[in-house]
C-alpha cells in the first residue's frame, strides 16, 4: 500500500522533515523534526515544528512515532518539544549509544550524562518493525555517515537520512567520529536492493541557485544518476573519492550545538542554579602555540 507523505523544508539548515501516514487509518510518524536556532543570540524557536504539528492537526492524523534517522550535526532536533506536545515516543537506532559515548568524551559532559540511550523512548535494532495502522515502519540500519544511521521503510517509501542527497549532490560525508566510507557504501547498496519503484525521501537537499529543493527522488534515478554512487561505482573508488572530499570539508556550522541537544533526543542541557542553560564549545587552540 502506498504511504502518504508530506514534507516540510527548513531553509536555514536545508533540512527536510517528513510526515508519513497510513491513508486508511491516519496513523502517522514524523521523521527528523527541526528546532529553530539562532547561534548568534542562542535563541530557540518552534516555528518549523509548529508547521508540522499544525499539519497533523489539520489532517486529523494520529501521530504514533517521532523518528530520528541519526543524531544530526547540522540542525537541532525538535523531537523533545514534539513529544511534549503530543505524548508520542521518540525512537532512534541503537547506534546512538556509541554516538553518545563519543560526544560525552569530546564535550566533557561528565558523569551527569548517561550514554545509554535513555533520553530516547525506543532504541531500534536493524529489521525491527513498528506498527503504523495498516502499514508498518521497518528499521533499516544504514550506518557510514555516522554509526547510528537508520533508514525507515514505510510501504513504497524509504526515508534515508544522510546516506544520499539528490543525485547531483551525491553522498554524505563520512569523517565524523565513527563514520566509515566503506560502511556507507554497503548501506547504499542495501538501499539499492529495494524495488526500483521505491520513493526515496531525503533529509537534506542543497540545490543550485534558482532550483527548488527536492524532498523525493525515485530509487531508479539515484541508481542511475547519483554522482558519487551510481550503480556501477565500486567500493574502492567510492571510498577513495569520499576520503579525498571529506579532507576538504569544514565542520558543520551547528556541529557542537546540534550534537549537545540531539544526543539528548532534543532535550536541552540541564540548567544551572539560576535556571540558565548553556552550550559548550570545545576550542581548537593548537594554532596559538605556547599560549594554548
Amino acid at each position: 500500500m502506498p504511504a502518504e507523505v508530506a514534507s516540510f523544508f527548513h531553509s536555514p539548515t536545508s533540512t527536510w522533515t517528513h510526515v508519513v501516514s497510513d491513508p486508511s487509518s491516519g496513523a502517522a510518524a514524523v521523521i527528523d523534526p527541526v528546532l529553530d536556532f539562532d547561534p548568534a543570540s542562542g535563541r530557540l524557536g518552534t516555528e518549523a515544528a509548529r508547521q508540522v504539528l499544525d499539519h497533523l492537526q489539520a489532517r486529523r492524523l494520529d501521530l504514533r512515532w517521532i523518528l530520528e534517522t541519526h543524531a544530526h550535526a547540522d540542525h537541532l532536533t525538535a523531537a523533545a518539544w514534539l513529544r511534549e506536545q503530543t505524548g508520542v515516543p521518540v525512537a532512534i537506532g541503537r547506534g546512538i549509544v556509541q554516538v553518545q559515548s563519543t560526544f560525552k568524551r569530546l564535550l566533557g559532559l561528565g558523569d551527569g550524562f548517561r550514554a545509554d540511550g535513555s533520553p530516547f523512548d525506543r532504541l531500534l535494532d536493524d529489521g525491527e518493525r513498528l506498527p503504523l495502522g495498516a502499514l508498518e515502519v521497518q528499521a533499516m540500519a544504514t550506518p557510514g555517515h555516522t554509526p547510528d544511521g537508520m533508514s525507515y521503510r514505510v510501504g513504497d517509501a524509504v526515508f534515508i537520512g544522510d546516506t544520499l542527497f539528490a543525485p547531483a549532490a551525491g553522498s554524505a560525508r563520512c569523517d565524523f567520529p565513527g563514520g566509515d566510507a566503506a560502511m556507507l557504501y554497503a548501506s547504499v547498496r542495501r538501499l539499492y536492493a529495494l524495488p526500483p519503484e521505491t520513493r526515496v525521501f531525503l533529509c537534506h537537499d542543497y540545490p543550485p541557485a534558482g532550483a527548488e529543493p527536492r524532498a523525493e527522488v525515485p530509487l531508479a534515478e539515484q541508481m542511475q544518476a547519483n554522482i558519487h554512487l551510481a550503480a556501477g561505482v565500486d567500493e574502492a573508488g567510492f571510498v577513495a573519492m569520499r576520503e579525498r572530499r571529506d579532507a576538504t570539508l569544514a565542520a558543520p556550522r551547528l556541529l557542537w550545538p546540534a550534537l549537545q541537544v540531539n544526543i539528548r533526543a532534543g532535550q536541552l542541557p540541564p540548567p544551572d542554579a539560576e535556571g540558565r542553560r548553556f552550550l559548550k564549545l570545545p576550542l581548537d587552540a593548537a594554532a596559538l602555540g605556547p599560549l594554548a
Side-chain angles (χ1 to χ4, degrees):
M1 177 188 299
E4 188 170 284
V5 181
S7 301
F8 301 83
F9 191 65
H10 186 250
S11 57
T13 61
S14 299
T15 302
W16 285 107
T17 296
H18 304 289
V19 178
V20 57
S21 60
D22 165 32
S24 66
S25 68
V30 170
I31 301 172
D32 293 333
V34 180
L35 194 67
D36 297 298
F37 174 61
D38 175 23
S41 66
R43 186 174 299 113
L44 297 166
T46 59
E47 181 180 352
R50 285 187 183 278
Q51 290 178 3
V52 174
L53 188 59
D54 289 346
H55 171 79
L56 292 166
Q57 294 171 344
R59 295 294 307 277
R60 298 185 179 180
L61 296 176
D62 179 14
L63 184 62
R64 303 286 182 85
W65 301 100
I66 302 164
L67 304 173
E68 294 284 356
T69 56
H70 62 295
H72 308 272
D74 41 31
H75 69 270
L76 279 64
T77 178
W81 181 85
L82 198 56
R83 177 173 57 191
E84 179 68 21
Q85 305 304 307
T86 64
V88 171
V90 179
I92 196 169
R94 193 173 297 277
I96 186 62
V97 174
Q98 179 181 340
V99 176
Q100 287 176 325
S101 297
T102 297
F103 283 93
K104 176 180 180 176
R105 175 178 54 82
L106 293 176
L107 289 162
L109 297 182
D111 295 337
F113 179 78
R114 295 166 55 191
D116 59 1
S118 57
F120 298 85
D121 302 294
R122 184 83 170 258
L123 300 184
L124 299 172
D125 295 308
D126 181 42
E128 195 164 348
R129 297 172 186 265
L130 305 174
L132 196 70
L135 299 173
E136 63 180 9
V137 179
Q138 178 187 354
M140 299 178 62
T142 47
H145 170 61
T146 57
D148 61 333
M150 186 70 78
S151 295
Y152 299 105
R153 187 183 181 193
V154 185
D156 65 335
V158 64
F159 302 85
I160 64 169
D162 283 11
T163 54
L164 293 173
F165 303 137
S171 60
R173 65 195 297 168
C174 298
D175 59 332
F176 295 148
D180 184 277
M183 196 176 292
L184 182 65
Y185 181 89
S187 292
V188 172
R189 289 300 174 204
R190 185 180 187 195
L191 292 171
Y192 283 1
L194 295 174
E197 63 273 16
T198 299
R199 296 181 290 156
V200 175
F201 288 88
L202 310 175
C203 186
H204 298 286
D205 191 23
Y206 307 96
E212 291 296 316
R214 298 181 68 182
E216 174 186 349
V217 178
L219 180 62
E221 183 182 345
Q222 286 284 19
M223 296 175 67
Q224 179 179 4
N226 188 281
I227 61 168
H228 294 164
L229 266 169
V233 175
D234 64 19
E235 179 181 332
F238 172 74
V239 170
M241 178 281 301
R242 192 67 265 171
E243 291 179 348
R244 285 195 305 270
R245 181 172 175 79
D246 288 349
T248 70
L249 299 178
R253 183 175 65 98
L254 297 181
L255 171 67
W256 295 113
L259 265 300
Q260 287 169 77
V261 171
N262 294 346
I263 61 174
R264 294 179 165 98
Q267 299 171 19
L268 301 180
D272 68 5
E274 298 183 31
R276 302 170 300 177
R277 300 177 190 267
F278 296 89
L279 294 171
K280 289 187 172 184
L281 177 63
L283 296 179
D284 181 356
L288 299 180
L291 292 178

